Amino acid sequence: MRFSDLGLQTQLLAILDELGYQAPTPIQQAAIPEVLAGRDVLAGAQTGTGKTAAFALPLIQRYLADEGTSKAIHVLVLTPTRELAQQVHQSFVAYSQGTGLRSVVAYGGASINPQIDALNKGCDVLVATPGRLLELATKGLIDLGTLQTLVLDEADRMLDMGFIIDIKRILRHLPEAHQTLFFSATFNDDVFALKNTLLIDPALIEVTERNTAAAKVEQRIYEVDSHKKAALVAYLIGANNWQQVLIFTRTKQAVDALAKELGKDGITASAVHGDKAQGARERALEAFKTGQVRALVATDVAARGLDIQQLQYVINYELPYNAEDYIHRIGRTGRAGLAGLAVSLVSHKEKYLLEDVEKLTGEHFIPQWVEGFEPNPAAQESAGNTRRKPSKKSLRANALGQTGNKGKAGKRRRR
Ligand code: AMP
């Protein structure tokens, strides 16, 4: 199938040609005609499937044809993180080059004034994180009364991060009749509940089996004691000569500690988590993308939405408390059809988390040991196998870089 078979106009076809997109991905094949027809869509699509173009291309076409540009906000895309917001915004800019369509991005953790200035210059497509969007809407700085399409991107993650209240408040600012496009990599009860309140007779699109990890990603599990994990990471990177490795930890403290530890072992690493200023996060990502550092150590939230081409290696320094995050993490590799390797380091105490991952993905992993890093059997006996998960609230606070301190740092930060 070709893009021209999907009803896209010549102008967009020329842009896609210039971008080197030769054929539509499965989600694009399924979603583009539905979005063009104005239908609500419920799409189960994981990272790297081309889902952004699947909604951006038909929306650009519709609003160029129907409304012209820069009169009012026609499209609102909500994303869980600022990184994903930037990425989606950049995609709209790339896909609409030369058309005059204006996309504006707004997210928390950055000054609101430049975002207001950008909005005042005219905005057809607004890409925003829920907190900042709500701030703009409640202060009367944007008018969503002309909105025609709402896109919820990575809806599962937005719910995980506790954005449900913000989303419900945002809905009150929208006109009753609008198209809703709902994208989620994974589906659970919360996601189903939200989609039931939002969608009318949606087109159901699922390009891969629900909750399956990205194809072409080899998944390896190494059993190792917690205190040996940093050394094992350094060993794996060094001995295999891996040049670009994304490493996930659960907490910002672990991010900093591991990046420091790797540095001591001669492996250049930068760190990304919610406590870092936006500029620092962008510099860290750029250093990683351009190969100035070999490793990027990140929390789940900070890494969400990072689009790194041709990333081959992902290491789960710790398994996530939320098994769905495992799918997102390993979706960072094996992107755009490339093979990838995802290595998870699992201590005895974390075995229950591995079981959660197995249940969700339907896979059964056979853990391996790395010579010299074999787990200590005595430690296993004393460790027990207790399930101790933190609350959603504390997970979110940690990922966002919020501490338990009283005062400013402890307050909820809008993204
Ligand atoms: P996404 O799933 O939207 O994050 O897209 C993943 C990556 O695939 C991005 O880097 C896109 O630029 C790229 N991409 C999207 N659609 C296509 C296509 N039809 N052909 C080639 N690359 C694509």
Side-chain angles (χ1 to χ4, degrees):
M1 190 178 282
R2 291 167 304 173
F3 277 111
S4 54
D5 299 325
L6 300 173
L8 292 177
Q9 287 170 357
T10 336
Q11 195 178 8
L12 286 175
L13 295 176
I15 291 168
L16 292 171
D17 201 38
E18 207 169 294
L19 290 170
Y21 290 14
Q22 288 174 353
T25 64
I27 182 129
Q28 291 162 4
Q29 292 177 25
I32 288 173
E34 302 290 0
V35 180
L36 276 177
R39 268 189 89 176
D40 281 4
V41 166
L42 171 66
Q46 57 198 43
T47 319
T49 53
K51 66 183 163 63
T52 315
F55 63 79
L57 291 170
L59 290 177
I60 291 167
Q61 173 151 323
R62 278 186 61 191
Y63 296 111
L64 287 176
D66 296 353
E67 308 284 343
T69 56
S70 298
K71 290 196 212 100
I73 299 169
H74 293 125
V75 177
L76 170 64
V77 185
L78 291 177
T79 72
T81 65
R82 57 191 117 181
E83 282 81 6
L84 184 62
Q86 285 176 335
Q87 192 186 314
V88 171
H89 162 69
Q90 280 159 8
S91 298
F92 268 100
V93 170
Y95 300 146
S96 64
Q97 53 190 279
T99 66
L101 180 135
R102 268 183 60 82
S103 172
V104 175
V105 63
Y107 45 78
S111 167
I112 199 168
N113 292 329
Q115 296 171 5
I116 295 169
D117 290 345
L119 283 163
N120 288 339
K121 286 186 191 141
C123 170
D124 300 292
V125 174
L126 176 56
V127 185
T129 51
R132 178 54 55 94
L133 191 278
L134 203 54
E135 190 179 349
L136 290 164
T138 49
K139 285 182 177 164
L141 296 164
I142 48 170
D143 178 9
L144 295 169
T146 53
L147 190 97
Q148 302 202 14
T149 304
L150 169 69
V151 183
L152 293 177
D153 198 5
E154 303 200 346
D156 50 346
R157 173 48 65 111
M158 276 195 270
L159 295 181
D160 281 351
M161 289 169 66
F163 280 131
I164 183 69
I165 294 168
D166 285 353
I167 292 171
K168 285 189 173 159
R169 284 190 189 138
I170 290 166
L171 291 175
R172 288 188 216 134
H173 291 267
L174 309 185
E176 197 147 320
H178 63 262
Q179 179 187 32
T180 304
L181 311 179
F182 193 103
F183 288 80
S184 194
T186 51
F187 287 86
N188 56 29
D189 292 347
D190 291 347
V191 174
F192 274 113
L194 180 63
K195 71 104 184 147
N196 284 339
T197 64
L198 285 180
L199 300 173
I200 301 167
D201 184 28
L204 304 174
I205 297 172
E206 206 161 3
V207 290
T208 48
E209 240 179 84
R210 196 172 289 168
N211 292 347
T212 50
K216 292 202 178 193
V217 179
E218 183 190 343
Q219 300 169 67
R220 248 182 247 167
I221 308 293
Y222 289 131
E223 276 182 358
V224 59
D225 293 336
S226 298
H227 67 279
K228 288 190 186 160
K229 281 188 174 183
L232 179 54
V233 170
Y235 171 79
L236 288 171
I237 295 173
N240 295 298
N241 199 20
W242 291 342
Q243 291 303 321
Q244 205 183 32
V245 190
L246 179 58
I247 307 171
F248 287 97
T249 73
R250 285 194 295 256
T251 64
K252 57 190 164 58
Q253 292 87 349
V255 166
D256 285 333
L258 182 61
K260 208 168 149 191
E261 206 50 46
L262 289 175
K264 281 189 206 157
D265 284 328
I267 291 164
T268 48
S270 47
V272 171
H273 57 63
D275 265 2
K276 302 256 177 198
Q278 181 63 8
R281 289 158 71 158
E282 279 165 18
R283 281 194 299 279
L285 180 59
E286 202 48 33
F288 182 60
K289 278 185 166 181
T290 54
Q292 292 163 53
V293 297
R294 274 170 90 176
L296 182 68
V297 191
T299 53
D300 289 289
V301 170
R304 187 81 171 183
L306 298 186
D307 183 26
I308 303 158
Q309 294 287 331
Q310 304 187 327
L311 182 63
Q312 252 183 302
Y313 306 106
V314 166
I315 298 180
N316 294 315
Y317 180 78
E318 296 158 320
L319 283 177
Y321 283 127
N322 181 349
E324 283 158 6
D325 282 337
Y326 176 86
I327 293 172
H328 294 301
R329 287 178 176 192
I330 77 163
R332 301 281 127 209
T333 178
R335 306 198 81 188
L338 290 160
L341 173 65
V343 170
S344 301
L345 308 188
V346 180
S347 70
H348 189 73
K349 274 189 191 165
E350 291 173 304
K351 280 195 175 152
Y352 73 95
L353 296 173
L354 185 62
E355 285 165 19
D356 288 351
V357 170
E358 288 185 325
K359 245 182 256 159
L360 186 71
T361 60
E363 307 244 4
H364 177 68
F365 299 112
I366 301 177
Q368 307 170 37
W369 292 355
V370 179
E371 204 182 327
F373 297 90
E374 295 87 349
N376 175 1
Q380 295 186 17
E381 274 154 32
S382 60
N385 193 12
T386 45
R387 295 184 71 92
R388 197 165 47 86
K389 284 195 185 189
S391 66
K392 268 190 187 173
K393 196 174 156 201
S394 67
L395 270 179
R396 184 166 181 276
N398 198 315
L400 291 174
Q402 294 167 343
T403 64
N405 300 341
K406 299 274 184 302
K408 219 176 165 200
K411 284 188 188 149
R412 179 172 176 212
R413 182 187 301 164
R414 294 271 187 215
R415 297 181 65 79

